Amino acid sequence: MREAGRRRARLAITMGDPAGIGPEVALRALASPPRSPDIEPLLVGDAAVWHETAARLRLTGVLGRAPLVTTSDLPARFRRPGLPSSPAARAACGAAAHAAIVEAARLVRTGQADALVTAPISKAHLAAAGHDVPGHTELLARLAGAARVRMMMAGPRLRVVLVTIHIPLAAVPGALTVTGIYDSIVLAAAGVRRHYGVRRPRIAVAGLNPHAGEHGLFGDEEERLIAPAVRAARRAGLSAAGPLAADTAFPQAAAGAYDVVVCMYHDQGLGPFKLLHFADGVNVTLGLPFVRTSPDHGTAFDLAGKGVADPSSMAAAMAMAATARRTRAHSALVIPRRPAVR
């Protein structure tokens, strides 16, 4: 029974790529018994995709309880689940996914929804549709006018925050800056405080190179970039340790020694994270003026339409968004003024 006077959290839930598992895991998560009664879903995307998915899964009752916001009208040949085989289909799917994200973000920014939950998209399909954004995080930052955003992957045992996200591995060293690493540490601390109530988060900052550079033997990024950012974060009052060898930082964090690990690049953080939390991990965008969560998996075109995709991560994303809304976790993150680097 809900507490008297407490309004349900209205979540704008996008369909993701219409040919992927997004619509399926969203509907199955909403139909699962563990779903909180405090969630009021608002489904955003292509109405025919939602209806056809619900009919295929025998979950039409879910649509009866969830209003639809229609953002595209895909022809039947572009609504088939599974990897699209033609350039036209890939572009159509990317355009439909993009339209749903833009509208859902507008609903949250204008107060018509409390938080945003996004289903997986195909970055290649976004590009095919002519949208020059590498993923959700960057697109939402652009829509919200947020200068500093970071991706946090969160699970019961491990949380990671990424300094760089969707760029080639070869470009990572050149993309790292003291400022970027410092901002990542601060946003990681703010995110853990807001979403988990940890007053003084313990932050592990991973090195870029093997053995955290081994005092410059395997690279100088640790001494030149990462260590100064960690020192600056400490002067700002944060509990940050590093640069640490990543292969020891992750086991220590998973064992409870740290509340979050700041990682230098995408796979450095997501590899260990998904080993532990492939089914129940949540992607949270830090630095936005609203709450945004997402499952930690992709479109899984090979599973789409078969009714076998696991909705656990989507259910966790919905629950986290609802909880964040109730605890006002979406309030603006305050980033301390950057101290002088020395």
Side-chain angles (χ1 to χ4, degrees):
M1 187 174 182
R2 291 203 315 272
E3 297 174 13
R6 190 172 78 181
R7 184 174 62 84
R8 291 187 296 172
R10 175 172 283 191
L11 306 182
I13 302 169
T14 65
M15 68 176 177
D17 192 288
I21 63 171
E24 175 180 333
V25 294
L27 292 176
R28 292 185 65 194
L30 290 171
S32 301
R35 183 176 71 82
S36 170
D38 291 335
I39 292 177
E40 180 182 342
L42 187 61
L43 302 178
V44 184
D46 193 286
V49 170
W50 286 116
H51 281 288
E52 289 170 3
T53 304
R56 188 167 57 248
L57 298 174
R58 299 181 181 178
L59 293 176
T60 54
V62 174
L63 293 185
R65 303 189 300 270
L68 291 178
V69 177
T70 300
T71 55
S72 61
D73 185 17
L74 287 169
R77 66 184 185 278
F78 295 150
R79 299 199 301 267
R80 297 169 186 157
L83 183 64
S85 58
S86 71
R90 292 192 286 272
C93 286
H98 183 272
I101 298 165
V102 171
E103 176 60 15
R106 187 193 70 80
L107 292 172
V108 179
R109 295 191 69 195
T110 57
Q112 298 176 69
D114 299 308
L116 171 61
V117 180
T118 58
I121 59 172
S122 165
K123 300 168 184 61
H125 293 179
L126 282 184
H131 299 295
D132 183 23
V133 287
H136 269 119
T137 304
E138 299 86 350
L139 173 56
L140 291 170
R142 183 182 301 176
L143 293 173
R148 306 174 193 172
V149 297
R150 294 295 185 274
M151 177 191 293
M152 179 172 76
M153 305 300 289
R157 292 184 59 194
L158 183 64
R159 305 176 193 104
V160 301
V161 169
L162 307 180
V163 178
T164 64
I165 308 177
H166 300 119
I167 63 174
L169 183 58
V172 170
L176 294 176
T177 64
V178 176
T179 296
I181 298 166
Y182 171 80
D183 286 349
S184 302
I185 297 170
V186 173
L187 283 167
V192 171
R193 280 198 301 265
R194 298 288 176 84
H195 287 277
Y196 292 93
V198 179
R199 289 189 176 183
R200 185 171 169 77
R202 300 160 299 168
I203 307 160
V205 183
L208 172 68
N209 298 295
H211 304 288
E214 196 72 50
H215 303 289
L217 182 63
F218 303 138
D220 67 351
E221 287 85 0
E222 284 76 16
E223 295 181 4
R224 183 167 52 87
L225 301 172
I226 303 174
V230 172
R231 291 195 295 268
R234 289 173 180 163
R235 289 196 299 274
L238 300 180
S239 176
L244 305 175
D247 59 356
T248 57
F250 286 112
Q252 291 172 354
Y258 298 103
D259 298 297
V260 62
V261 182
V262 173
C263 306
M264 296 301 111
Y265 58 94
H266 186 279
D267 283 14
Q268 183 185 50
L270 268 63
F273 178 81
K274 291 193 176 184
L275 181 65
L276 294 178
H277 298 301
F278 190 82
D280 60 358
V282 177
N283 180 355
V284 187
T285 304
L286 305 177
L288 293 173
F290 52 81
V291 172
R292 179 261 172 165
T293 66
S294 179
D296 72 345
H297 55 70
T299 51
F301 291 118
D302 58 322
L303 300 180
K306 298 178 181 178
V308 298
D310 187 349
S312 300
S313 185
M314 176 59 89
M318 292 179 184
M320 189 171 187
T323 301
R325 171 259 174 186
R326 289 196 294 270
T327 58
R328 297 185 182 277
H330 59 295
S331 57
L333 296 176
V334 178
I335 300 180
R337 183 177 61 85
R338 299 186 186 105
V341 175
R342 57 178 185 271

